[in-house]
């Protein structure tokens, strides 16, 4: 850890004429889980969309290992090894689980590589192998999220952007999703996580950032933000844990 | 009973051709949320191109599909590049109705100037021939038209189910944002999808021109029928469009034979109204995005 993988400097972006991000500065370190928290409308998801190319930044720089990726198309950003798992359900409901995971390697031309990767993923995520022929739309919300994460790994990404993966899941599914995120990070992936469930998000994060009104207001380690009384009052819904 | 069976046979045969015409309409809607109201005009343009190749060069109208389809595919890609792609703003879906309607009127105008508004028919040697099968008369041209439609629709289904391009189309139809995030080039998929939609319309037009007389204004009646078919089948559902086309083809034919030909086209509009009131997503559509 320690090397800056992704860096946003003074990024301004938004929808139509309105800006949502008003100069975001953020650094994501290689090999770490970085968690963005903040109130609704703070611009957390917009950060991910701007990094993945769904939105073009109006101003500022976005670099990945020093190379400028700001304003590239989603396809071009993908080719740099950055994958985005959006907040809303993103599987193709009428396709099988297997075809959905195969779509994760859509930009790969080498069939042997695709086959090797999907076999590896099927070993790693039993749901992909066990439910391969089932329509993705028939899976539960938690199962779909796991398949989405599995699909994101088809490109062997350097950075995984995850937008509120626990939204709408029951506690057990939520726990499984956070466990999976920790596992893929332990496997060497860098993760930029946006999470409404701030306590769970910060608990697995090495680094955290609090966003408000389109800017990063506060940064620190996940544990220091969890212990911060101001963060606890505003975003954790309770007093900070007593760290003695 | 004999008359009824005869009507059902005729209805299935013409339903197959309607399915080919409607497949492009539902495919384009599925990919882009664009209702291409020029689809009927594209069918008529295909009929005129086939008519011209037959009357001036002597090319069989059914074989002429091999020439017309690629040309119309290129025209479709061109229309997408010049007009449809420019409408990607928030109002794009609504504006596309106006743009495609303007395209239909432009095609009608050019055809009227070139061919006049007199009714035309493409009449190859087999146009008047028929077979008697188990006591039922079946026009050869309708069987050929049906077979061609089945072959083209099967090829389209295989393309969508088995190829990389087909996967990108299905993905775009089901979740365009997700498809984009996985590297699908939405512009390319839209342009090729629009081209395919137009070329299937033109192929159906070559068959239509042998079965029915046509003039440049025939597209008004056609687009009404095609819209009824895709709404009944579920906008964006290819399988739904095929089933709906067969149902409405049979319905039209049975009413024409058993009641009166003047009431036959009424079937389409009665069905359209009933489906919009009771099941607006159609037989096979879903309330959100469809699935090919």
């Amino acid at each position: 850890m320690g090397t800056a993988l992704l860096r946003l400097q003074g990024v301004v972006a938004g929808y139509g004429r309105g800006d949502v991000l008003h100069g975001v500065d953020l650094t994501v370190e290689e090999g770490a889980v970085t968690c963005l928290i903040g109130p609704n409308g703070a611009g957390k998801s917009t950060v991910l969309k701007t990094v993945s190319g769904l939105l073009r930044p109006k101003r500022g720089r976005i670099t990945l290992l020093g190379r400028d990726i700001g304003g590239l198309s989603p396809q071009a950003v993908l080719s740099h090894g950055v994958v985005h798992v959006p907040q809303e359900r993103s599987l193709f409901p009428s396709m099988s689980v297997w075809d959905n995971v195969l779509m994760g390697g859509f930009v790969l031309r080498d069939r042997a590589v695709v086959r090797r990767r999907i076999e590896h993923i099927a070993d790693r995520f039993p749901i992909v192998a066990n439910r391969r022929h089932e329509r993705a739309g028939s899976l539960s919300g938690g199962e779909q999220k796991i398949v989405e994460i599995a699909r994101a790994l088809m490109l062997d990404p350097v950075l995984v952007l995850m937008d509120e993966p626990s939204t709408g899941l029951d506690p057990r599914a939520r726990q499984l999703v956070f466990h999976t995120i920790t596992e893929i990070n332990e496997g060497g992936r860098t993760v930029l996580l946006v999470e409404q469930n701030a306590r769970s998000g910060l608990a697995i994060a090495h680094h955290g950032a609090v966003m408000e009104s389109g800017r990063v207001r506060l940064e620190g380690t996940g544990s220091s933000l969890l212990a911060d009384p101001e963060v606890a009052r505003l975003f954790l819904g309770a007093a900070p844990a007593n760290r003695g | 009973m004999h008359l009824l069976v005869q009507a059902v046979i005729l209805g299935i045969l013409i339903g197959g051709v309607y399915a080919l015409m409607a497949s492009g309409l539902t495919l384009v809607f599925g990919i882009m949320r664009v209702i291409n109201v020029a689809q009927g005009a594209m069918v008529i343009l295909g009929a005129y191109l086939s008519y011209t190749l037959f009357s001036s060069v002597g090319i069989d109208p059914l074989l002429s599909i091999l020439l017309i389809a690629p040309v119309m595919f290129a025209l479709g890609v061109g229309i997408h590049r010049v007009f449809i792609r420019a409408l990607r703003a928030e109002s794009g879906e609504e504006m596309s109705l106006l743009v495609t309607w303007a395209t239909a009127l432009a095609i009608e105008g050019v055809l009227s100037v070139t061919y006049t508004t007199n009714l035309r028919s493409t009449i190859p040697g087999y146009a008047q021939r028929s077979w008697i099968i188990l006591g039922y008369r079946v026009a050869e041209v309708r069987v050929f038209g049906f077979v061609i439609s089945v072959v083209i629709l099967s090829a389209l289904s295989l393309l969508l189910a088995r190829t990389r391009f087909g996967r990108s189309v299905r993905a775009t139809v089901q979740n365009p944002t997700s498809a984009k995030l996985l590297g699908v080039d939405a512009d390319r998929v839209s342009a090729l999808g629009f081209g395919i939609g137009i070329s299937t319309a033109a192929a159906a037009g070559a068959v239509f021109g042998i079965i029915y007389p046509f003039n440049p204004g025939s597209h008004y009646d056609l687009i009404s029928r095609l819209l009824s078919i895709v709404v009944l089948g579920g906008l964006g559902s290819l399988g739904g469009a095929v089933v709906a086309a067969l149902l409405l083809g049979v319905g039209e034919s049975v009413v024409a034979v058993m009641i009166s030909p003047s009431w036959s086209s009424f079937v389409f509009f009665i069905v359209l109204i009933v489906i919009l009131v009771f099941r607006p997503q159609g037989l096979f559509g879903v309330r959100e995005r469809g699935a090919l």
Side-chain angles (χ1 to χ4, degrees), chain A residues 75 78 90 92-94 106 151, chain B residues 164 174-175 178 181-183 291:
Chain A
Q75 208 174 6
L78 207 59
S90 70
F92 306 111
S94 298
F106 181 77
R151 183 175 69 180
Chain B
R164 186 172 181 272
Q174 292 177 44
N175 194 328
S178 187
L181 286 172
L182 295 174

Side-chain angles (χ1 to χ4, degrees), chain A residues 23-222:
Chain A
V24 170
D25 296 303
L26 180 72
T27 300
V28 174
E29 291 185 352
E30 196 167 16
V33 175
T34 300
C35 180
L36 277 181
I37 62 167
N40 283 334
K44 306 183 298 294
S45 297
T46 307
V47 167
L48 299 194
K49 286 177 183 172
T50 310
V51 172
S52 68
L54 283 178
L55 280 177
R56 290 177 72 88
K58 294 176 185 170
R59 284 198 299 279
R61 281 191 81 199
I62 304 175
T63 54
L64 185 80
L65 286 172
R67 277 192 292 186
D68 222 321
I69 61 164
L72 296 181
S73 69
Q75 208 174 6
V77 174
L78 207 59
S79 70
H80 283 85
V82 179
V83 295
H84 181 171
V85 182
Q87 179 186 355
E88 56 278 8
R89 289 188 179 177
S90 70
L91 293 184
F92 306 111
S94 298
M95 285 190 196
S96 68
V97 168
W98 194 260
D99 281 351
N100 263 280
V101 179
L102 270 180
M103 276 302 293
F106 181 77
V107 294
L108 299 172
R109 295 283 179 172
D110 188 334
R111 288 184 179 191
V113 172
V114 172
R115 200 167 42 243
R116 216 168 35 242
R117 295 252 175 99
I118 199 166
E119 280 166 7
H120 176 70
I121 283 170
D123 282 345
R124 166 80 186 69
F125 295 89
I127 188 172
V128 173
N130 298 339
R131 315 278 292 270
R132 59 187 293 167
H133 299 299
E134 290 183 36
R135 286 174 69 250
S138 69
L139 302 182
S140 71
E143 290 169 337
Q144 288 195 30
K145 195 48 79 177
I146 297 297
V147 175
E148 285 175 31
I149 295 171
R151 183 175 69 180
L153 300 182
M154 274 295 284
L155 285 184
D156 196 14
V158 294
L159 174 63
V160 183
L161 310 173
M162 276 193 210
D163 197 353
E164 304 200 11
S166 72
T167 301
L169 303 184
D170 61 60
R172 201 170 152 196
R174 207 156 49 212
Q175 200 181 4
L176 179 63
V177 166
F178 283 118
H179 178 69
T180 307
I181 294 170
T182 306
E183 272 191 354
I184 65 170
N185 172 247
E186 284 167 0
R189 323 260 173 210
T190 307
V191 178
L192 175 54
L193 171 70
V194 162
E195 191 46 62
Q196 195 66 255
N197 187 337
R199 193 180 296 278
S200 303
L202 291 174
I204 63 163
H206 301 95
H207 186 80
V210 181
M211 283 193 71
E212 199 176 37
S213 305
R215 287 189 177 87
V216 173
R217 296 289 184 195
L218 191 62
E219 286 187 80
T221 62

Side-chain angles (χ1 to χ4, degrees), chain A residues 3-22:
Chain A
T3 312
L5 177 69
L6 177 75
R7 182 165 281 157
L8 285 80
Q9 293 167 289
V11 172
V12 176
Y15 306 87
R17 289 182 183 177
D19 291 340
V20 177
L21 306 183
H22 301 283

